[in-house]
Amino acid sequence: MTQDDLLARAQAWLAEDPDSETREELAKLIESGETDELAARFAGTLQFGTAGLRGELGAGPMRMNRSVVIRAAAGLAAYLKAQGHAGGLVVVGYDARYKSADFARDTAAVMIGAGLRAAVLPRPLPTPVLAYAIRHLGAVAGVEVTASHNPPRDNGYKVYLGDGSQIVPPADAEIAAEIDAVRSLNDVPRPDAGWETLGDEVLAAYLARTDAVLTPGSPRGVRTVYTAMHGVGKDVLTAAFARAGFPPPALVAEQAEPDPAFPTVSFPNPEEPGAMDLAFEAARAVDPDIVIANDPDADRCAVAVPDGTVEGGWRMLRGDEVGALLAAHLVHKGAQGVFAESIVSSSLLGRIAEAAGVGYEETLTGFKWIARVEGLRYGYEEALGYCVDPEGVRDKDGITAALLVAELASVLKEQDRTLTDLLDDLAVAHGLHATDQLSVRVDDLNVIANAMSTLREYPPVHLAGLTVTTAEDLTKGTESLPPTDGLRYYLEGDHKARVIVRPSGTEPKLKCYLEVVVPVADASELATARAKGAEILFAIKRDLSEAAGL
């Protein structure tokens, strides 16, 4: 693109931009001749995929802004009408990030202008409330404006269809084609009214539904510290806990209220280093049984437990550990149906399911796949996502997951036991499933592409001194999985070591998922098994990093 072409594109975008803030931003870039910045913003368009849209806020087609959202909404509306849903209802939810309310309102306006009906949730609410509302209201689609646990400068646009699940291929490509067909914002009718702003009835119905995950009369005595991570989870989670009869969680006051600046954390993700520091500080002050955290849109749930062997006395459980605990609890409660997880999650779930005689299925990464498993009763993903009530919410739900964790901790507390004790029991019964992750955040996406290319061209022969017995390129698909951009390695030996490498679908990260299974005869061997697992994982991580050129 020549400089003249770039400026012409920027001027044309500026002329259509409905937002005074991004208009001013773009006008300044044009006026000051910031050609490198303009080139970055006009190098293409944000790609609409199975995660919808997600990106940095700002002016131009490579950023998240009202112009991009209006085009996305127009494309979704055209797709829905082509699918025979003219006149159908689209429900719109949003979180408390910068511009989220504007994006939600624009979406509703576009739907009305296209001849569909639209209903907007009454205020910023957790993503699972939107996922619930789609099925509850009989909508043909739903949109959640959120960037989940991304940095403050980001926002996103997540699309669900009428079954309450996130879109999967080919719907994503078909919607993207309709978006590309929008030539000018002037062609998109956007009335100033006509949509419904919902009251609290849907939220009340969602909260009533949360009772379904608990056993009537079960223990409810666990004491909890809770952080909403500056997001929208606090009011809904505390209401759900109160309904269920749990003691009110002690709140991490500094992170309790929605704040799009996320001032106390570098990244508002419980998995990120330092994000849980304030929660652990609160826990040391009030001495609870467990710590629970939601991410900013409250679809994820993190759990921490007392641990005298670590600095500060509290340890975050891995997503795989919580996933196994919830599975064991559901089995104990007599749950029937299919237990499902993504390929990057621990194989322990399969062993628990097999021992319990319930179905088990593995899917590609993401709840858009897990939620579609036929007969699903429970699904989880290692990135702190748990679907414990698929009939209510066909997506991960950090509120109902927190309730189920609290019930399990309460049951164990009455037995003078803890979540850690149950994890030990599972290790003795099924082997110690040690997992870890090599996660590399990049500023330049070429780093990820180069690493994947290097591993494809020169696949590792050994990792941690173990021979790589199988190397799968998942872009070709498998007998049970459709194609995806990923690599999977199985290593020789009794430890059933496994590695999966893939680019993140929502963040500029390369993610490598590692698992080692160490046999355990009895509880006396657990410490040795943990040390062995950690040793092998460390060596795999080191060798994989070198093999990928990282």
Side-chain angles (χ1 to χ4, degrees):
M1 188 165 29
T2 67
Q3 189 164 327
D4 286 346
D5 289 339
L6 175 62
L7 287 173
R9 255 197 103 184
Q11 292 282 8
W13 188 274
L14 179 64
E16 286 190 350
D17 192 338
D19 188 323
S20 59
E21 288 183 30
T22 45
R23 273 203 315 274
E24 182 180 350
E25 179 186 322
L26 184 54
K28 285 181 179 176
L29 291 174
I30 294 170
E31 188 179 334
S32 58
E34 300 272 357
T35 51
D36 288 348
E37 181 63 22
L38 286 170
R41 292 172 184 240
F42 286 86
T45 58
L46 274 186
Q47 291 303 298
F48 187 93
T50 49
L53 293 166
R54 197 173 289 191
E56 186 177 345
L57 290 162
M62 289 294 289
R63 300 287 186 268
M64 280 297 294
N65 51 64
R66 289 183 61 199
S67 297
V68 164
V69 164
I70 289 166
R71 289 172 183 272
L76 173 60
Y79 167 81
L80 292 172
K81 289 164 75 175
Q83 297 294 312
H85 296 309
L89 175 66
V90 178
V91 190
V92 185
Y94 58 102
D95 66 11
R97 285 177 177 265
Y98 296 118
K99 296 290 183 182
S100 285
D102 294 339
F103 294 167
R105 201 161 41 244
D106 282 331
T107 299
V110 170
M111 295 303 155
I112 297 300
L116 291 124
R117 294 178 293 127
V120 183
L121 293 181
R123 58 185 171 281
L125 286 167
T127 292
V129 177
L130 180 277
Y132 169 81
I134 295 165
R135 290 163 65 83
H136 179 68
L137 297 174
V140 298
V143 171
E144 177 69 15
V145 180
T146 182
S148 190
H149 55 272
N150 276 40
R153 65 180 181 271
D154 289 0
N155 212 329
Y157 198 81
K158 187 184 292 189
V159 176
Y160 297 76
L161 295 182
D163 63 353
S165 301
Q166 297 176 49
I167 53 169
V168 293
D172 57 341
E174 291 168 3
I175 295 170
E178 296 285 6
I179 295 170
D180 290 342
V182 178
R183 291 287 161 246
S184 168
L185 292 193
N186 298 326
D187 301 332
V188 182
R190 301 195 307 279
D192 293 330
W195 58 89
E196 179 186 2
T197 299
L198 296 166
D200 280 339
E201 300 83 6
V202 170
L203 176 59
Y206 167 82
L207 285 168
R209 176 78 202 183
T210 62
D211 298 346
V213 306
L214 303 174
T215 301
S218 63
R220 310 282 163 96
V222 73
R223 293 176 301 108
T224 306
V225 159
Y226 170 72
T227 176
M229 206 66 67
H230 297 296
V232 298
K234 181 200 72 174
D235 290 348
V236 179
L237 181 131
T238 54
F241 269 53
R243 280 183 62 94
F246 289 106
L251 301 178
V252 179
E254 302 94 326
Q255 298 175 334
E257 299 303 326
D259 187 337
F262 303 107
T264 69
V265 290
S266 300
F267 292 95
N269 178 355
E271 293 179 296
E272 292 284 349
M276 295 289 287
D277 286 356
L278 286 173
F280 294 160
E281 188 179 307
R284 287 189 288 272
V286 302
D287 193 28
D289 300 303
I290 57 173
V291 172
I292 288 177
N294 287 138
D295 67 339
D297 69 326
D299 62 351
R300 289 172 169 83
C301 175
V303 181
V305 295
D307 187 337
T309 69
V310 299
E311 186 180 349
W314 284 85
R315 178 175 77 89
M316 266 275 287
L317 296 181
R318 291 190 173 277
D320 284 319
E321 292 178 302
V322 178
L325 287 168
L326 290 177
H329 187 41
L330 288 168
V331 164
H332 183 72
K333 285 156 68 86
Q336 294 295 312
V338 178
F339 284 24
E341 64 179 341
S342 64
I343 58 172
V344 300
S345 303
S346 172
S347 60
L348 176 55
L349 183 68
R351 298 198 176 192
I352 292 170
E354 183 182 12
V358 300
Y360 169 74
E361 192 163 326
E362 208 176 44
T363 75
L364 291 184
T365 309
F367 268 82
K368 57 185 175 283
W369 298 109
I370 293 171
R372 284 182 160 73
V373 168
E374 190 171 343
L376 181 68
R377 176 58 187 87
Y378 168 63
Y380 100 89
E381 193 157 67
E382 56 74 44
L384 310 182
Y386 314 95
C387 175
V388 300
D389 177 25
E391 288 306 305
V393 176
R394 294 266 167 123
D395 199 4
K396 54 189 177 292
D397 182 346
I399 306 297
T400 50
L403 284 173
L404 204 58
V405 167
E407 181 184 54
L408 171 58
S410 297
V411 169
L412 292 168
K413 185 176 181 179
E414 285 210 344
Q415 301 167 359
D416 200 26
R417 302 179 74 233
T418 66
L419 296 177
T420 306
D421 293 329
L422 180 53
L423 284 170
D424 289 349
D425 292 349
L426 292 172
V428 172
H430 304 292
L432 178 75
H433 287 62
T435 60
D436 201 358
Q437 192 179 125
L438 171 63
S439 182
V440 182
R441 185 180 292 274
V442 301
D443 294 321
D444 180 3
L445 291 176
N446 287 323
V447 173
I448 295 175
N450 291 340
M452 294 296 289
S453 177
T454 297
L455 289 172
R456 286 191 168 102
E457 195 169 347
Y458 306 104
V461 177
H462 298 92
L463 293 170
L466 301 170
T467 301
V468 177
T469 56
T470 307
E472 293 178 293
D473 187 343
L474 298 177
T475 55
K476 300 167 185 174
T478 70
E479 285 185 12
S480 58
L481 298 170
T484 189
D485 185 8
L487 300 163
R488 180 162 60 180
Y489 307 112
Y490 291 101
L491 280 56
E492 68 173 343
D494 296 334
H495 292 119
K496 298 181 175 63
R498 182 199 71 187
V499 176
I500 295 171
V501 184
R502 61 179 281 272
S504 169
T506 57
E507 297 179 270
K509 280 183 175 181
L510 181 69
K511 302 182 97 169
C512 311
Y513 306 85
L514 326 175
E515 181 176 50
V516 174
V517 183
V518 185
V520 180
D522 57 52
S524 66
E525 296 183 3
L526 280 169
T528 304
R530 287 198 176 93
K532 183 64 176 177
E535 176 190 332
I536 298 172
L537 288 172
F538 176 82
I540 292 174
K541 193 186 288 193
R542 177 199 63 212
D543 294 351
L544 183 64
S545 185
E546 184 178 339
L550 299 170

